[in-house]
Amino acid sequence: MIDILKVQQIVREAAKLFVDRQAANQIKVKGKYDFVTAVDEAVQGFMKKELENLYPEISFMGEEDQETKTDLDGFVWVLDPVDGTTNLIHDYKTSAISLGLMKDREVITGIIFDPYLDEMYWAEKDKGSYLNGERIFVSDAKTMSESLIAIGTSPYRKNEAPENFKTFEKIYMDCQDIRRTGSAALDMAHVACGRIEGYLEKKLKIWDFAAGTIIVREAGGEVLDYTGKNRTMQLMGDVVTGNFYIAKILAKEYLS
């Protein structure tokens, strides 16, 4: 339906805005520990315009205009213009553009671009997942002792930290080690290419996990909720992902 290469080029062009440190320092506060920069707004504005020019029939949902009333039962783009805004503010260089295309509440295309490493992840339904043109697959680890696990700390809900960190401690004691990048999209991309075995975070927004969901699944992995059921495309949800074994172990033994 779409020309994936043309869409990737739009993403690449938008990502050039990440290097504008002056814009990155123009910060608005959306909520406690929740920020938006002029880069977020510029990336979203550029991509919305370009995608509408190419595909005027497809609706658009972007994080920075909070269009939560978009009809999710049709075709809709779901964009996080800067996944890892706090990282961008600090010039931490761990941020990405995350773009999903949904049809009737199912993600059918996903693109995640890391401009700092020039890594373009993408997947289309039933066509596999790719990193810079090479097919990727999830890790084949079967135990926690073989696994590197990424966590998300839900920084907008620090009142939940005691419960979350008890869970993280249990996981840490059983796995090789844990990581925290601050970008859900990149964590899911790293699961898809086998760099890490699992990732979990509570109460992500749909633009955080839409693209990553199809990229992980097409790479042979699982994207679940904390009860172990397949993660559906709701506006907010808990996410645990990994290969067939690790995702289920995380959900069953640590989260449910």
Side-chain angles (χ1 to χ4, degrees):
M1 176 189 167
I2 67 166
D3 186 328
I4 189 71
L5 294 180
K6 287 184 178 179
V7 178
Q8 287 177 15
Q9 187 56 40
I10 291 172
V11 172
R12 284 187 180 276
E13 287 297 315
K16 293 178 181 179
L17 296 163
F18 278 44
V19 301
D20 187 343
R21 292 306 305 158
Q22 183 176 357
N25 288 319
Q26 295 177 32
I27 303 166
K28 300 176 185 177
V29 178
K30 294 193 291 185
K32 197 169 185 180
Y33 308 111
D34 189 6
F35 311 103
V36 58
T37 73
V39 174
D40 299 70
E41 294 174 335
V43 169
Q44 180 160 307
F46 174 83
M47 290 191 60
K48 182 177 183 181
K49 179 182 177 182
E50 295 297 315
L51 291 171
E52 287 179 345
N53 286 341
L54 268 182
Y55 305 105
E57 72 280 8
I58 300 179
S59 300
F60 181 90
M61 173 189 287
E63 178 179 8
E64 302 317 332
D65 52 18
Q66 305 281 320
E67 292 183 11
T68 55
K69 294 184 179 180
T70 301
D71 182 6
L72 297 182
D73 293 321
F75 284 96
V76 56
W77 297 109
V78 181
L79 173 70
D80 191 337
V82 180
D83 188 67
T85 296
T86 302
N87 289 345
L88 182 74
I89 291 169
H90 291 271
D91 199 22
Y92 191 65
K93 293 182 170 57
T94 311
S95 306
I97 294 176
S98 179
L99 178 68
L101 176 62
M102 296 200 309
K103 178 185 178 184
D104 299 331
R105 297 178 180 266
E106 179 186 10
V107 189
I108 59 173
T109 302
I111 296 172
I112 295 172
F113 182 53
D114 179 347
Y116 303 105
L117 297 179
D118 191 30
E119 291 188 335
M120 179 74 73
Y121 300 82
W122 78 91
E124 295 181 281
K125 185 173 173 58
D126 300 324
K127 295 183 179 180
S129 292
Y130 298 84
L131 167 56
N132 291 348
E134 298 292 328
R135 188 78 184 266
I136 56 174
F137 299 93
V138 295
S139 164
D140 60 4
K142 294 182 180 180
T143 65
M144 290 292 286
S145 62
E146 302 173 80
S147 299
L148 183 64
I149 304 296
I151 61 169
T153 53
S154 305
Y156 315 142
R157 296 176 176 81
K158 292 195 176 183
N159 60 303
E160 299 179 14
E163 178 184 352
N164 285 338
F165 278 82
K166 284 181 182 178
T167 300
F168 300 153
E169 182 181 7
K170 292 176 183 177
I171 292 170
Y172 170 71
M173 296 304 293
D174 291 342
C175 71
Q176 287 185 349
D177 207 344
I178 58 176
R179 295 290 183 267
R180 162 70 170 147
T181 69
S183 169
L186 288 177
D187 285 333
M188 295 184 80
H190 295 163
V191 167
C193 70
R195 291 178 184 167
I196 59 176
E197 278 64 44
Y199 159 68
L200 63 147
E201 188 161 5
K202 294 184 71 174
K203 296 178 181 174
L204 290 173
K205 299 290 182 64
I206 191 170
W207 40 76
D208 297 317
F209 63 84
T213 294
I214 188 168
I215 292 172
V216 170
R217 287 175 175 165
E218 287 291 319
E222 302 275 345
V223 183
L224 311 173
D225 62 24
Y226 272 31
T227 71
K229 297 178 181 177
N230 280 333
R231 175 72 272 158
T232 55
M233 292 299 108
Q234 298 165 317
L235 291 175
M236 179 185 290
D238 304 336
V239 171
V240 55
T241 183
N243 67 20
F244 176 84
Y245 302 99
I246 302 303
K248 293 183 183 304
I249 289 171
L250 286 169
K252 181 179 180 180
E253 298 187 12
Y254 302 92
L255 304 175
S256 59

